[in-house]
């Protein structure tokens, strides 16, 4: 298969070549079924087996304890911004604690505020979102109903390289842009959510890992569809789920397990990819300036700036012509963003680094 461009966009991300080949086959016909993946019943035994294997693979990759549900939901991460407070903020007297570290966590804060008391424990706004908080800046309350944060701020290129919060307060984390890119100590979180379209598949499905005990806190009277218990009881097959998207996520988990060799190995590869670009950026301080504080640099989204708007435009035009797609920074921020999700190869990143080296030398 030959494509003309490499996908460095903020999302949906690149998928592994071997997965794309299987998808191509499956669109024509899933061999063991004899039908196109686009027309297989969600009530078939085959699809029940797909969900079961996907769930098993996620459990294996993360060494997830048995008391967690693995749910496959719709509505993206954005729906989780509301489903989480619907579950956990109902009737709360103490505020839930949120970290406002960038674009996506800001959306989560605004969604939660409609459901109950919310305290923004730390905001990066005064620092224009160039760094994350240190532990000393986070006076966590032991009586908060939960703590919510975003592990990787996709727009600003900031990533927490540690688990935050107090063990006695349920941790809730939006891992949409770094889920299954590295081990994440899942057992330390009460609820993790991550849509598929950055590291593990196409848009249309969102993985939620939730501790069973947390669901006991659900208020009565939630709409069925917005109640995690509905989906847990139905094994993620309550109404017609996105069969195609779920199948692709299954293929990616197989790839992670059997081709990559697990999340520690995936983390090494992702670390090398990110380091390749950060080294190049740091080697040319007159041309490139990394946006994030060095300690908080994301391994998924490398965000940097050029000296002025004209240089940025020249860089983007030349990169596009050379086959590097999606490098324009988020519309909220400008600049350049190279997103290095699981499916993007080290070789692709090395090619971008070579392009950036040439650009730094010759403009
Ligand atoms: C991309 C992104 C989102 C948005 O997710 P949707 O599935 O489009 O709702 C939310 N959170 C994070 C961290 C993201 O990177």
């Amino acid at each position: 298969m030959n494509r003309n461009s490499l996908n460095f966009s903020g999302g949906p991300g690149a998928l592994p070549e071997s997965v794309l080949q299987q998808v191509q086959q499956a669109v024509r016909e899933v061999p063991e079924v004899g039908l196109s993946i686009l027309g297989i019943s969600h009530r078939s035994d085959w699809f029940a087996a797909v969900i079961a294997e996907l769930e098993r693979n996620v459990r294996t990759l993360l060494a997830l304890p048995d008391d967690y549900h693995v749910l496959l939901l719709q509505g993206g991460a954005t729906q989780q911004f509301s489903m989480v407070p619907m579950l956990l903020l109902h009737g709360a007297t103490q505020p839930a604690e949120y970290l406002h570290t960038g674009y996506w966590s800001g959306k989560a804060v605004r969604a939660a505020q409609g459901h109950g008391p919310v305290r923004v424990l730390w905001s990066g706004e005064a620092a224009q979102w160039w760094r994350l908080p240190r532990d000393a800046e986070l006076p966590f309350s032991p009586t908060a109903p939960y703590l919510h944060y975003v592990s990787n701020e996709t727009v600003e290129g900031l990533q927490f390289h540690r688990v935050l919060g107090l063990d006695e307060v349920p941790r809730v984390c939006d891992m949409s842009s770094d889920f299954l890119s590295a081990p994440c100590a899942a057992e330390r979180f009460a609820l993790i959510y991550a849509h598929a379209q950055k590291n593990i598949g196409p848009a249309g499905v969102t993985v939620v890992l939730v501790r069973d005990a947390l669901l006991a806190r659900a208020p009565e009277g939630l709409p069925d569809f917005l109640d995690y218990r509905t989906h847990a009881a139905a094994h993620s097959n309550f109404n017609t789920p996105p069969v195609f998207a779920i199948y692709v996520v299954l293929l990616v988990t197989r790839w992670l397990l059997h081709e990559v060799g697990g999340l520690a190995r995936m983390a090494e590869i992702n670390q090398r990819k990110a380091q390749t670009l950060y080294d190049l950026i740091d080697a040319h301080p007159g041309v490139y300036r990394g946006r994030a504080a060095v300690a908080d640099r994301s391994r998924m989204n490398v965000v940097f700036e050029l000296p002025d708007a004209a240089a940025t435009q020249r860089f983007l035009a030349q990169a596009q012509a050379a086959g590097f797609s999606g490098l324009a920074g988020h519309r909220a921020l400008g600049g350049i963003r190279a997103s290095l999700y699981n499916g993007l190869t080290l070789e692709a990143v090395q090619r971008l680094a070579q392009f950036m080296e040439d650009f730094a030398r010759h403009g």
Side-chain angles (χ1 to χ4, degrees):
M1 239 187 296
N2 225 339
R3 273 178 300 281
N4 295 323
S5 294
L6 294 166
N7 179 4
F8 282 90
S9 84
L15 290 172
E17 196 61 40
S18 64
V19 168
L20 289 179
Q21 276 168 16
Q22 294 171 78
V23 169
Q24 197 178 32
Q25 165 68 40
V27 168
R28 290 182 172 280
E29 179 187 327
V30 174
E32 61 272 28
V33 182
L35 289 169
S36 162
I37 182 67
L38 302 178
I40 295 180
S41 168
H42 58 295
R43 298 296 174 205
S44 62
D45 291 344
W46 179 81
F47 186 62
V50 164
I51 292 201
E53 185 191 341
L54 170 50
E55 178 177 331
R56 242 182 0 257
N57 289 354
V58 170
R59 288 184 188 280
T60 304
L61 284 163
L62 292 171
L64 193 68
D66 287 343
D67 65 328
Y68 284 77
H69 299 279
V70 178
L71 306 177
L72 308 170
L73 306 186
Q74 300 190 57
T78 300
Q79 172 136 302
Q80 296 308 303
F81 294 163
S82 295
M83 273 179 81
V84 164
M86 282 174 140
L87 171 71
L88 296 176
L89 206 47
H90 172 84
T93 51
Q94 302 289 316
E97 295 189 327
Y98 275 69
L99 303 190
H100 188 183
T101 49
Y103 183 86
W104 289 115
S105 55
K107 298 225 177 215
V109 169
R110 281 189 293 284
Q113 280 165 339
H115 296 275
V118 167
R119 174 191 292 146
V120 175
L121 200 60
W122 187 87
S123 167
E125 187 168 14
Q128 295 191 316
W129 320 109
W130 69 272
R131 72 171 182 94
L132 295 172
R134 294 177 293 274
D135 282 337
E137 296 173 287
L138 297 171
F140 296 113
S141 160
T143 56
Y146 64 96
L147 165 71
H148 181 282
Y149 66 97
V150 173
S151 53
N152 182 72
E153 285 282 9
T154 320
V155 172
E156 292 79 5
L158 295 163
Q159 187 176 30
F160 282 107
H161 300 296
R162 66 188 192 280
V163 173
L164 301 177
L166 308 174
D167 285 338
E168 60 267 40
V169 174
R171 294 183 180 90
V172 178
C173 194
D174 176 1
M175 296 193 187
S176 289
S177 56
D178 61 2
F179 189 60
L180 302 189
S181 70
C184 72
E187 72 286 353
R188 299 189 62 194
F189 294 84
L191 192 156
I192 290 171
Y193 59 93
H195 61 202
Q197 68 263 29
K198 280 161 192 156
N199 277 300
I200 57 168
V205 61
T206 299
V207 180
V208 175
L209 312 180
V210 57
R211 219 180 260 151
D212 183 58
L214 214 63
L215 298 188
R217 286 167 56 171
E220 291 312 315
L222 283 179
D224 285 346
F225 204 80
L226 301 178
D227 188 333
Y228 294 105
R229 293 173 301 182
T230 304
H231 301 284
H235 297 283
S236 303
N237 207 343
F238 174 62
N239 66 329
T240 316
V243 170
F244 174 73
I246 289 171
Y247 180 65
V248 180
V249 176
L250 170 65
L251 296 178
V252 173
T253 61
R254 282 182 186 163
W255 172 80
L256 283 167
L257 279 169
H258 308 304
E259 288 186 56
V260 175
L263 293 188
R265 181 72 190 116
M266 190 74 248
E268 274 171 38
I269 297 168
N270 283 329
Q271 165 75 23
R272 277 188 69 191
K273 283 153 57 180
Q275 202 57 49
T276 299
L277 288 195
Y278 286 123
D279 285 349
L280 192 279
I281 287 168
D282 292 342
H284 298 282
V287 183
Y288 303 119
R289 194 176 65 85
R291 208 179 170 281
V294 172
D296 303 323
R297 281 175 164 177
S298 168
R299 291 174 191 150
M300 296 279 105
N301 312 97
V302 177
V303 178
F304 58 97
E305 286 161 357
L306 280 92
D308 55 50
T312 306
Q313 284 319 309
R314 215 165 49 243
F315 180 95
L316 287 172
Q318 289 184 22
Q320 186 72 36
F324 303 103
S325 176
L327 284 167
H330 190 272
R331 56 199 151 83
L333 209 69
I336 313 285
R337 171 177 58 177
S339 298
L340 316 178
Y341 300 126
N342 281 354
L344 192 81
T345 61
L346 176 61
E347 190 221 331
V349 177
Q350 286 164 339
R351 278 171 59 187
L352 177 62
Q354 186 59 54
F355 167 83
M356 287 173 62
E357 178 80 42
D358 293 345
F359 186 88
R361 288 180 194 286
H362 312 295

